[in-house]
Amino acid sequence: MSASEARTFTLSPKPTRRQVLTRMTGVAAAASMGLPVFAQARSIRIGATFDNSSVEKANGTGLFLGSSAYFNALNRAGGINGTKVELVLADDQFKPDVAKSNALAFYADNSVLAMIHPLGTRQTAEVSDAVPGMAVVGPNTGTVSLRKKAAPNTFWVRANYDQEIDKLIATAAVLGQSRIGIVYSNDPLGQSLLAGFKASLAKAKLEPAVIASTPSTTSMEVEPAAKQIAEAKPQIVIIGLAGTAPAFVRAFRAAGGKSSAYGLSITAGSLGAMGDLAHGLGFAIVVPSPFATKFEIVRRYQADMLASGAKDFSLPSLEGYMDASVLAEGLRRAGPSPSRAAVLAGLERIEGFDLGGVKINFGPRNREGNQFVDVAVMSANGRLIS
């Protein structure tokens, strides 16, 4: 991104030591992504906490690059009611307690009006609880149990994991494949995926071919699960893993596993790390393919990414771009002098909002704004085909 178009990263007045450390981490992360740091006199400030240095870095930086590209374009066009939007980054290293600390630091800074795309199930839970009077838009998790909490400050821009699994199993059924297994992480995220998997199979009147787990979302101890699934020889294995998915796929193929593999949306952020092993893998996607220019939102995304100096299109960055689009619409509806409460009210009034081929519907009693799910396959040339 060019210096004239980068987001700003500034410290709060009289920050605590924790806030200073948090923001310094954000500044360092910004520099590592090629985002120059400078100050603006007046802006609408948005907080972003995500993993920029650990196992989920690919997803985290992708989300941030997409939201940055959107706000860059918005600011070039004059901002929101003449005011520019500033993203303030904080790296939480994919640690729930750090995500909470970051959120509390944002909450203590009255100039920060909302937060965007926290990454991870436990991280999102901590963030939403820490900022009850502040909008949290576009958490990067589809865990159903979080939706059931019905947190009034949290606005979901992506479909949930149950909807993704339903789509994958329906796709398998069309292909005549009924022996389906799953690998999941033995933690809140994975337990939610397992419950959705069992429920979806029951609706299709099928039994699991094999169920295997890894110790946690971040654990690289994947070989036992890989061997278990390879020995069971299902027709399809659903990979309910995110940053550890590449290690699992390598171990699975090394163990002689020849099953077709379907990933969830959280798996797609790891495609680059899979190399040639990604070819032929199917994925549930909760945004259109970043190459599907039949969607207006994708055409705008590609143009704004290129204008920001980002040449690589990805599912995470398109999701971040869409999150930013939704938040910007809430900011517009909040009026010329937005407050946190006005932003919450503005987002709640978004109904039938067309992002450019994908519609968003919130409302007084609804925070799940989007049910878009598709299936894509990674081609031999590294493109997603949907």
Side-chain angles (χ1 to χ4, degrees):
M1 296 183 186
S2 68
S4 64
E5 296 172 355
R7 300 282 54 75
T8 68
F9 303 84
T10 59
L11 297 177
S12 307
K14 298 181 180 179
T16 65
R17 181 176 181 273
R18 182 184 295 276
Q19 286 174 293
V20 170
L21 291 174
T22 296
R23 300 300 173 79
M24 287 177 68
T25 302
V27 169
S32 74
M33 288 190 287
L35 302 173
V37 179
F38 63 100
Q40 282 181 331
R42 178 174 176 267
S43 60
I44 294 171
R45 305 179 80 223
I46 305 299
T49 178
F50 57 85
D51 182 9
N52 189 46
S53 58
S54 187
V55 66
E56 290 298 319
K57 180 178 179 179
N59 278 322
T61 55
L63 289 165
F64 189 73
L65 287 172
S67 56
S68 295
Y70 179 86
F71 286 125
N72 285 341
L74 180 72
N75 288 339
R76 289 194 298 271
I80 300 289
N81 298 315
T83 304
K84 291 192 174 183
V85 178
E86 170 192 351
L87 282 180
V88 186
L89 179 156
D91 180 9
D92 59 36
Q93 306 157 54
F94 206 58
K95 296 178 179 178
D97 58 332
V98 180
K100 178 180 179 179
S101 296
N102 291 345
L104 289 172
F106 288 135
Y107 202 49
D109 184 344
N110 290 330
S111 70
V112 178
L113 295 188
M115 291 186 63
I116 192 169
H117 52 56
L119 171 61
T121 297
R122 289 177 293 171
Q123 292 78 358
T124 295
E126 294 286 2
V127 167
S128 294
D129 289 345
V131 296
M134 180 188 290
V136 179
V137 176
N140 186 254
T141 174
T143 304
V144 175
S145 59
L146 291 183
R147 316 291 179 103
K148 291 180 178 178
K149 287 178 62 177
N153 66 326
T154 306
F155 295 81
W156 303 90
V157 183
R158 56 151 51 212
N160 64 53
Y161 292 140
D162 284 4
Q163 292 166 320
E164 292 187 41
I165 292 171
D166 280 347
K167 185 71 173 181
L168 291 176
I169 289 177
T171 300
V174 168
L175 298 175
Q177 296 168 318
S178 58
R179 297 193 66 254
I180 305 170
I182 188 172
V183 58
Y184 69 98
S185 54
N186 192 14
D187 54 21
L189 164 62
Q191 292 293 341
S192 175
L193 297 179
L194 179 60
F197 173 72
K198 289 180 176 179
S200 186
L201 281 183
K203 285 186 288 186
K205 298 182 178 180
L206 297 174
E207 293 291 331
V210 60
I211 294 174
S213 66
T214 65
S216 71
T217 304
T218 58
S219 174
M220 300 302 290
E221 189 182 337
V222 298
E223 287 83 1
K227 290 178 181 178
Q228 181 183 348
I229 294 178
E231 290 171 0
K233 299 180 180 179
Q235 291 171 299
I236 289 175
V237 55
I238 293 178
I239 304 173
L241 306 173
T244 61
F248 171 81
V249 172
R250 283 191 290 271
F252 179 61
R253 297 307 184 200
K258 300 185 184 300
S259 310
S260 297
Y262 284 178
L264 297 175
S265 59
I266 52 172
T267 312
S270 302
L271 287 173
M274 291 187 194
D276 290 343
L277 289 175
H279 299 163
L281 267 62
F283 292 90
I285 56 176
V286 293
V287 298
S289 164
F291 305 101
T293 52
K294 64 181 180 181
F295 291 90
E296 180 189 346
I297 185 70
V298 173
R299 295 195 297 272
R300 294 202 307 264
Y301 153 81
Q302 289 187 356
D304 291 342
M305 286 284 283
L306 291 172
S308 288
K311 298 179 181 179
D312 295 327
F313 304 144
S314 69
L315 291 166
S317 59
L318 177 54
E319 183 172 344
Y321 185 90
M322 290 172 61
D323 294 339
S325 302
V326 172
L327 176 52
E329 183 63 19
L331 291 169
R332 290 187 187 96
R333 296 177 186 225
S337 299
S339 64
R340 289 175 177 175
V343 174
L344 282 166
L347 287 162
E348 188 177 90
R349 291 194 296 270
I350 293 177
E351 296 183 74
F353 176 56
D354 189 352
L355 285 179
V358 178
K359 286 195 175 181
I360 303 295
N361 284 286
F362 294 127
R365 295 178 180 82
N366 179 40
R367 294 295 185 268
E368 293 195 63
N370 179 18
Q371 285 78 46
F372 179 93
V373 184
D374 201 356
V375 175
V377 176
M378 180 61 71
S379 70
N381 65 359
R383 286 285 186 97
L384 281 174
I385 303 172
S386 60

